[in-house]
Every structure is written in structure tokens, then in C-alpha cells.
């Protein structure tokens, strides 16, 4: 996807700006730690943390849920995915509910911090609206 345009005279924005966690190899990891949630929200706990990841293999850090407990199998984009409760030491998806599936040969994952039913439903809804897009080759963008 295209990145937002920079202001005239400003340095162009790179994908691996410090606000993003970049991983080497064939992986992608986006984390949002400042997810704003209402004070009475029953889903995302405490930090309001969202993580979206993709990798070419299931053992990659960006899509791993170390020590996670598989809680369900969910259909995502016509394929089966697994819903996990990740441990606090689980790597990129620590302490969260993570849904992981394959899309176009790529392992995809989305997680929200906190183990609860609303987060399970939210990650399923997020996954349903995600689409794997091949990177653009050449040209601007």
C-alpha cells in the first residue's frame, strides 16, 4: 500500500520509521500500542495493543505465539485458521488473543491484548477484512 505523503521539504517517510517494528527477512509486523478504547470497554485490556503480522513461514517471530493455547479453529477467507491465547512471553503477540491463517501462501496473524471473548470476536472480524497484497515493484509507492 502507499504510505502517506510527506509535507513539502520534509524527509520522505520510510516504512521502517522508528514507530514501526521492522523484522528482517520475509516478515512484516505492525504494532499499535496506543489503541484508544472507551473506559468501559470490555475487550482490549489495559494497553490497547493491536498487532498485525505476515511471514512466509509459521515459525517466524512475527506470527509466532510461543506457549500459546489453541482455543478454536476459525474459517478465514475460505481457509482454516487457528485462534490462540498467547502467553505473556509469547513474542510479538504476548498476552493477547491471536488469529493465524494462510492467505495466498503467506502466514497472516492479528492479535489484541487480553484474553476474553470480545477480543476473540474482534480478531475474527479484523481478519475477515484483511487482505494480503503483493508489494509493488518499481515506480513510486
Amino acid at each position: 500500500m502507499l504510505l502517506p505523503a510527506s509535507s513539502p521539504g520534509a524527509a520522505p517517510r520510510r516504512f521502517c520509521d522508528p514507530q514501526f517494528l521492522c523484522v528482517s527477512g520475509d516478515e512484516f509486523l505492525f504494532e499499535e500500542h496506543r489503541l484508544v478504547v472507551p473506559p468501559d470497554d470490555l475487550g482490549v485490556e489495559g494497553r490497547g495493543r493491536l498487532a498485525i503480522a505476515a511471514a512466509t513461514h509459521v515459525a517466524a517471530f512475527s506470527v509466532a505465539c510461543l506457549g500459546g493455547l489453541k482455543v478454536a479453529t476459525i474459517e478465514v477467507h475460505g481457509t482454516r485458521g487457528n485462534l490462540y491465547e498467547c502467553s505473556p512471553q509469547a513474542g510479538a503477540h504476548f498476552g493477547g488473543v491471536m488469529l493465524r491463517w494462510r492467505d495466498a501462501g503467506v502466514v497472516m496473524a492479528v492479535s489484541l491484548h487480553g484474553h476474553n471473548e470480545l477480543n476473540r470476536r474482534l480478531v475474527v472480524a479484523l481478519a475477515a477484512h484483511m487482505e494480503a497484497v503483493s508489494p509493488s515493484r518499481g515506480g513510486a509507492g
Side-chain angles (χ1 to χ4, degrees), residues 5-85:
S6 299
S7 301
R13 184 174 177 178
R14 298 173 304 129
F15 177 73
C16 287
D17 279 344
Q19 70 186 32
F20 299 110
L21 171 62
C22 297
V23 291
S24 62
D26 297 326
E27 298 182 58
F28 166 81
L29 177 60
F30 171 80
E31 296 179 283
E32 177 56 65
H33 293 273
R34 298 174 310 268
L35 191 63
V36 177
V37 294
D40 59 343
D41 178 68
L42 301 175
V44 179
E45 293 176 3
R47 293 176 246 223
R49 182 177 175 277
L50 163 71
I52 298 171
T56 56
H57 57 284
V58 74
F61 170 81
S62 61
V63 295
C65 179
L66 305 173
L69 173 66
K70 181 178 167 184
V71 294
T73 299
I74 308 286
E75 185 175 323
V76 183
H77 301 285
T79 187
R80 289 192 313 189
N82 293 316
L83 186 66
Y84 296 91
E85 288 184 351

Side-chain angles (χ1 to χ4, degrees), residues 87-139:
S87 75
Q89 298 81 26
H93 304 276
F94 65 92
V97 173
M98 179 190 78
L99 179 58
R100 183 173 62 204
W101 71 101
R102 284 194 180 272
D103 190 350
V106 176
V107 181
M108 307 282 290
V110 61
S111 69
L112 290 166
H113 190 265
H115 300 159
N116 57 60
E117 182 59 31
L118 182 55
N119 278 357
R120 291 181 185 139
R121 292 192 335 236
L122 286 171
V123 296
V124 170
L126 287 167
H129 290 89
M130 290 174 56
E131 180 181 348
V133 178
S134 297
S136 174
R137 299 283 185 227

